[in-house]
Amino acid sequence: VFRFTAKFGLRRLPSSQRPTLKPELRGLRVLIVDDNATQREILREILLSWEMSPSAVEGRHAIEALQDARGLNQPFSLVLLDAQSSESGGFAIASAIKGSPDWAAPMIMMISSIGIRGDGDRCRRLGIAAYLTKPIRQSELLDAILTVLDGETHREERRVVTKHSV
């Protein structure tokens, strides 16, 4: 048996040396919808580190959060939606979002812990921009978000972004 202890300090980079993200991400309003509190918090912390403006709710509160944001004239630009959220499921929530003209159609990225055959086609039919399976690395999530936001100007393709396509 071999054991050792090593203590390392954290080094803060000066702001001039920190990596910068695309300016369009700074302050981006994102709604995280997941019934798992730990998953919501992890995603919230990641998005905060990218200087986005995330809000996190359980699936049953997703529509209410979208309505509240609209009422405050601060709509969400992006929704990260867990496929297994709520009793009705993430696809039902996505359908309600896409079916309502009141929410200015935020981009939806579906996140699933289990990939099911046919989900890609279902996402395409509903107008969901991305379908990612857990676990998701931060770099994959960032690439997918950037691809989805960039693809907003190229909507004629109607291709669903996946881990493999980014």
Side-chain angles (χ1 to χ4, degrees), residues 34-99:
D34 197 317
D35 287 348
N36 183 305
T38 303
Q39 290 293 327
R40 283 194 311 267
E41 186 58 23
I42 289 169
L43 284 171
R44 194 180 80 72
E45 288 297 323
I46 290 169
L47 298 181
L48 281 171
S49 75
W50 295 336
E51 299 180 25
M52 294 181 186
S53 180
S55 295
V57 296
E58 290 181 17
R60 60 192 169 111
H61 298 296
I63 302 302
E64 181 182 334
L66 287 163
Q67 289 170 334
D68 291 348
R70 181 179 179 263
L72 295 170
N73 201 26
Q74 297 178 334
F76 293 101
S77 300
L78 180 65
V79 176
L80 297 180
L81 177 58
D82 183 72
Q84 286 74 39
S85 285
S86 174
E87 296 88 33
S88 56
F91 284 103
I93 295 170
S95 182
I97 293 170
K98 289 298 187 178

Side-chain angles (χ1 to χ4, degrees), residues 97-113:
I97 293 170
K98 289 298 187 178
S100 173
D102 295 338
W103 295 311
M107 301 295 283
I108 299 175
M109 294 177 63
M110 185 72 70
I111 301 172
S112 179
S113 54

